[in-house]
Amino acid sequence: MCGIVAYLGNKPAKHLLLEGLKRLEYRGYDSAGIAIMNGKLNVARAVGRVAMLEEKLEGLEGFDGSLGLCHTRWATHGSVTEHNAHPHRDDKHGIALVHNGIIENYAALKTYLQDKGHTFTSQTDTEVLAMLIGELYEGDLEKAVQAALREVTGAYAICVVCEKEPGVLVVARKGSPLMVGIGSNNDYVVASDGAAIISHTSRVFMLDDYNVVKLTREGFRTTDVNNVAVNPKVQQLEIDLEQIELGGYPHFMLKEIFEQPKALRACMSGRMDLREGRVVLGGLSTFGKEITRAKRVILTAQGTALHAAMIGRYLLEDLAKLPSQTEYASEFRYRNPTIEEGTVVVAVSQSGETADTLAALHEAKERGALALGVINVVGSTISRDTDAGVYLRVGPEIGVASTKAFTGQVAVLTLISLFMARRRIMGAGDCGDLLREMERIPEKIERILEQAPIIKKVTEKYVDRENWLFLGRGYNYPTALEGALKLKEISYIHAEGMPAAEMKHGPIALINEGMPAVFIANRGRQYEKVMSNIQEVRSRGGHVIAVATEGDEQIKKHVQDVLYIPDVPEPLSPLLTVIPLQLMAYYAAVARGHDVDKPRNLAKSVTVE
Ligand code: M6R
């Protein structure tokens, strides 16, 4: 949510900053802005995408310096206007600041600053922080930032410059991600995420909460907000440039859908011992005993990750016979939850930065739970705040609509369930059988992807309909929720996902002539029941699109369209049934002319509660 990039070095900053900002655009794209030091601070801001800012800069002089910062915004406080776009400035010392996060006590601080005579030009919380730093400035930017941050509550990743100190960049973080890339020439790129850094350097360090870093061309020093020195851990950034480029695809979402076979192979690699019929998860080994003895598992997440978590719950109960529940992180945190001894909490998140999930994790830890993470982004806040965990290893996900992270999360949760099952009740034979089936999942996904043209054609038949239903049972009830979410978020079509049996308890009233109802009707324990639910929709005029198992010719008699998936054991079926649903959402959005990778009102990583 909001992307920030800053540069200090010897190269011209403008191009470098804009390139970095484009790579972070998935984090927000309401408006963008840049400030470059060139004798004085030059600032430009524009409503819209980074391209609008770039266009504006073409007609402007003075943006030639080699110290600067920039921002792409996802609005929280204040509407989408140029005045509310970052960077924000103070009114005394030529201070400019970009910010990702929310200053929660901004109203009280604003009143205090107004009483001191400061005049505000925006409605943002960020301008309040810029003014506060200005108010506290006594000739040392680092000290003023530390002093200001001692006064604020909330979340922030900030980069700050000051005209009076033209060779200094101060950056800090609490709650929102920020990392410093160390170049080979005493130059630094600071950004919300490694995608904006990797083309310059792979040597980075992540800021921890309350870290403040002062960077100059002579070096850097890291402290906390009380000026106590901190030793950051420099590490290698493991991102491949190819992974964050379109590579010939029209959209990242489509690229990521097609990457799933490769991503899942990487996710499973080295984690399945087929001979011994067991799962090897190095990330859990330190807590093997506690995990084996767990009495209850609470899986917590938001959005797509929550749907994966729901599948995780079915897996844990079905395979490991372990009482499990799923919780919206945002609800769990404030519900005064009961955590008994032996509770394991699993936070599921692609970004590892989702504020709701992070807060739920902290709550659970405080109440004594063992905290595990199922995270994609290595080194992200949640991955660092959990006791142990398993990374997805599916590579960077750039499309706002999550696809390969979802299948990665389901695959990892399947591995964790088998890991627990094997230590509790499952024999090597049964576990080995399921692992062998898992190994074949990537190849089966490839077979579904070959049907993309058919899926496109079916989708286009219904793309003008404004209301859709997605229905499934058991393991594929969460998949139905995910199908509906995908369609909503990128094609802006109203869609509801629900258990197929729930429909007759009310939602069936919605069905009218021609309403598309997508049924997940693969072979499994509830196949017959799903078929009955299909009849209920058909007899009321609904048009049924079924996701069915190859070889099921009978189903064609009962539905308008069928999309086939290869046969697969039921616990693994969501890994296949979701693929046609992802493609349907993609083709619907394209047919409706939407910007698939940057859907309206959304941002990839939701770092505010
Ligand atoms: O980074 P996370 O997995 O924690 O993100 C959670 C949700 O914000 C995310 O899955 C969101 O629902 C996606 N836009 C869905 O495609």
Side-chain angles (χ1 to χ4, degrees), residues 273-279 418 422 426-433 435-436:
D273 181 345
L274 297 180
R275 240 187 25 192
E276 299 290 324
R278 64 186 188 108
V279 173
L418 288 171
R422 185 74 169 83
M426 192 180 263
D430 288 344
C431 187
D433 288 348
L435 290 177
R436 265 182 286 281

Side-chain angles (χ1 to χ4, degrees), residues 188-241:
Y188 305 94
V189 187
V190 183
S192 311
D193 145 353
I197 295 180
I198 192 65
S199 54
H200 307 286
T201 176
S202 57
R203 277 188 76 218
V204 297
F205 66 90
M206 322 269 178
L207 271 71
D208 281 325
D209 278 352
Y210 303 107
N211 282 180
V212 178
V213 188
K214 176 182 179 177
L215 303 135
T216 67
R217 292 184 181 87
E218 284 71 52
F220 68 90
R221 71 176 214 122
T222 308
T223 58
D224 66 10
V225 292
N226 296 313
N227 203 28
V228 176
V230 170
N231 235 341
K233 195 173 134 218
V234 177
Q235 60 192 76
Q236 282 298 114
L237 198 57
E238 304 221 344
I239 303 180
D240 191 340
L241 254 187

Side-chain angles (χ1 to χ4, degrees), residues 54 68 71 109 137 162 230 351 368 384 390 460 491 498 555 572:
E54 214 171 9
H71 184 272
L109 290 170
Y137 185 77
C162 175
V230 170
S351 61
R384 287 188 286 156
V390 183
E460 283 168 357
S491 70
M498 68 191 76
I555 200 167
L572 306 182

